[in-house]
Amino acid sequence: MRHLRRLHPGLLATALVFASAAAAQTQELENPGVTSAIQDRPYRMLHELDLWVGVLPLDAFYVGVYAQVSYVYHFSDRFAWQVGRGAYGLAARTPLRAELERTFGVQPTANDEVQFFVGSDVMWKPFYGKLAVLNRAVIHGEVHLLGGATLFKFSNSGFRPGINIGGGGRIFLNRYVSFRLDLTHNVVLPTGGGTTSFGNVMTVNLALALNFGGND
């Protein structure tokens, strides 16, 4: 009897352990854990050639319209290097500028306009997803951020460098073709033509992007 009394607490503890384990297993079977699956991207990019049209909307005296060509190399699904981009633009006068020239005799050459620019950027692509359109089609797209440098040629102050930051998005049509929309802001440094103040150049541009080799 003494031995049974000594073993009784141990047997009780063992029984409690097994009961707890059985209850936990039953709860897990009744409420299985939630698992998530991340699908691979159906459209992967490697060599990207972009054909752009864009505007420079920030200046009060003119609106610049430009065409641009760029090449992007994609290291992975997250990072890419916009190796080079070059744009040439034309300036359209705003009503304010026309009024100043007519009323106060301001010379057209008094306004410093962007004539062309070249640059390079690093791209980070943290977001990718897909949307269902009326349960009839699925659209794949991504969002990216940009950072780099731009060299501008102005009509009066000549060549001036700038620091470029911005972002944009892309909609894929298929593995070869996508549309890309970018918005960037350039802080132009006070160099060139005797300029002593910083400048600001904003770009809004839309591109037809062609992908080569990304899904091979």
Side-chain angles (χ1 to χ4, degrees):
M1 291 296 294
R2 293 180 181 178
H3 294 290
L4 291 176
R5 289 177 181 176
R6 293 177 183 176
L7 292 175
H8 181 71
L11 293 174
L12 181 60
T14 303
L16 290 175
V17 170
F18 278 107
S20 299
Q25 185 175 6
T26 301
Q27 184 177 3
E28 183 177 357
L29 292 174
E30 293 177 353
N31 301 293
V34 178
T35 59
S36 60
I38 304 299
Q39 296 180 345
D40 291 335
R41 298 190 182 194
Y43 306 126
R44 281 195 161 90
M45 308 190 73
L46 183 60
H47 302 285
E48 176 187 351
L49 178 64
D50 299 318
L51 306 176
W52 300 86
V53 291
V55 295
L56 309 174
L58 197 60
D59 199 284
F61 301 105
Y62 77 98
V63 176
V65 181
Y66 65 90
Q68 178 176 273
V69 177
S70 65
Y71 166 72
V72 183
Y73 180 80
H74 294 261
F75 296 99
S76 66
D77 290 338
R78 294 184 181 180
F79 294 99
W81 176 25
Q82 189 160 256
V83 180
R85 49 181 171 83
Y88 183 83
L90 299 174
R93 294 186 300 174
T94 63
L96 175 60
R97 176 176 170 179
E99 180 68 21
L100 291 176
E101 292 177 357
R102 182 175 59 254
T103 304
F104 299 99
V106 177
Q107 296 297 319
T109 56
N111 297 288
D112 209 7
E113 301 171 354
V114 175
Q115 296 179 320
F116 62 86
F117 54 92
V118 295
S120 182
D121 308 280
V122 175
M123 296 178 60
W124 179 42
K125 305 173 289 180
F127 302 108
Y128 178 91
K130 59 183 179 180
L131 295 173
V133 181
L134 299 177
N135 290 330
R136 296 180 180 272
V138 176
I139 296 177
H140 294 259
E142 67 178 19
V143 176
H144 55 263
L145 301 176
L146 295 167
T150 306
L151 180 63
F152 292 94
K153 170 59 170 68
F154 288 87
S155 57
N156 294 336
S157 57
F159 289 96
R160 297 176 61 185
I163 300 172
N164 174 52
I165 57 173
R170 183 193 308 274
I171 297 295
F172 291 93
L173 295 184
N174 52 51
R175 60 182 294 185
Y176 301 109
V177 181
S178 61
F179 287 108
R180 177 177 158 191
L181 176 67
D182 281 10
L183 286 79
T184 67
H185 182 80
N186 296 268
V187 179
V188 184
L189 304 181
T191 60
T195 304
T196 59
S197 60
F198 288 89
N200 296 280
V201 176
M202 178 180 292
T203 68
V204 180
N205 38 67
L206 177 66
L208 173 66
L210 305 176
N211 177 40
F212 302 94
N215 288 85
D216 295 341

